[in-house]
Amino acid sequence: MRNETLTGYLLHQRPYQEKRALYYLFSQQYGVVHGVGKKGAPLFVGLHLFATGKRDLKTFSQINIMQTDKENIENEQGIIESSSIENSNSKNNAVESVKNDPKSTNSLSYGQITGQNQYAALYLNEVLWRLLPTEDPMPLLWQHYQETLECLKQLLTAIELRLCLRQFEKHLFFELGFELTLSQDSTLSQIEPDVTYRFLPDVGLVPIQSSVEVVNMTTQAMFSGHEILSMVEQGMSETTLGLWSRLHRQLMDHLLDYQPLQSRLLWQQQQRYQR
C-alpha cells in the first residue's frame, strides 16, 4: 500500500511509543489491517485514513472521522470541532476508564453508544480482532458490523440487545466457515423430537444414545429434538433466543479456544457494582 485510502472502524488499540498507538482497523477494503498512527483515534465511529507500507504493520496518517459520524457527535454534544483525530477531544481512553472504574461506564460515550450497549460494542470489537485474519476482505461482515453499531446507538430492551448480538454472531460464524444448519444431525439424519442431541462445533448435532451419556454431559452442550425443531421453525426470535444464545456461546468459546473475553469480565464486574 502507498497512501491508500481506507474506510473502517477501530477494533483495538494499544500504546506504541510516546505519541503513537498500534491500531487494529476493520476496513471495508481489506478487512483487518494493522497499523501505527498518532494516538487519539476513537472507537465505534467510522474513520477515513491513509495507509502506507508493504509489510504487515502499516503506517496510518491523516486519520479523520467520517462526516456522518462527525455530524452525529457534534449534534449530540452541541459543539463544533475538527474531525481530525489530532485536534479532537475524543474519548479514546474510555476502555481504560471502564477497567479502572466499572461504575463510570454510563457517563462515557462511545460514538453515541451508551449504557449497557457499550459492553455489547466492546464485545463485538474483541471477538473480531481476536478471530479475524489479517488483510482478508470481508465487505459483507463489515457492513453487518456497521449496521450493528447503528443498532447499538438505539435504546434497546435486554431482549432486543441480545437479538442484535446473536444476529451479528450469525454473520460472523458464516464468514468463518460455520453455517449452523439444524435440520439434520451429524449423520445427516432428520432431527427427531424425542431424541437428545449434543452440539459439537466441529461435528454438528450428535444424537445421544443412552441416559448414561446424558448424565455425564452438561446442559449447555445438549438440546432436545423439540428445542432444535423450534429453532428451525421460528428462527431467531424472542421465544428461541435462549436456545440460540446457548448454541452461539458454545461455538464462540470453541473459536476462542476457551480463553476468557475481557468484555465479558467487564460486563460481569459492572453487574456486581449495580447490585
Side-chain angles (χ1 to χ4, degrees), residues 118-135:
Q118 293 175 352
Y119 292 98
L122 289 171
Y123 167 77
L124 293 182
N125 277 19
E126 187 172 5
V127 297
L128 287 176
W129 79 262
R130 287 180 59 174
L131 294 179
L132 294 187
T134 304
E135 297 188 33

Side-chain angles (χ1 to χ4, degrees), residues 123 158-159 161-163 165-167 169 173 180 220 223 231 236-238 240-253 264:
Y123 167 77
I159 295 294
L161 178 58
R162 292 172 64 198
L163 282 169
L165 293 179
R166 298 298 88 79
Q167 290 287 357
E169 289 168 350
F173 294 150
L180 296 172
Q220 184 178 358
F223 298 85
M231 294 166 73
M236 203 171 289
S237 66
E238 184 173 341
T240 60
L241 178 57
L243 299 173
W244 284 104
S245 295
R246 194 197 318 167
L247 184 70
H248 281 202
R249 174 65 178 264
Q250 188 173 350
L251 180 53
M252 184 66 74
D253 287 346
R264 279 182 188 164

Side-chain angles (χ1 to χ4, degrees), residues 24-38:
Y24 296 77
L25 179 79
F26 187 24
S27 72
Q28 185 178 21
Q29 297 84 355
Y30 293 100
V32 177
V33 179
H34 299 174
V36 174
K38 286 188 177 181

Side-chain angles (χ1 to χ4, degrees), residues 1 22-24 32-36 52-60 134-135:
M1 299 181 187
L22 176 61
Y23 292 127
Y24 296 77
V32 177
V33 179
H34 299 174
V36 174
T52 300
K54 296 181 179 180
R55 299 184 178 180
D56 291 341
L57 190 62
K58 311 296 191 254
T59 298
F60 292 161
T134 304
E135 297 188 33

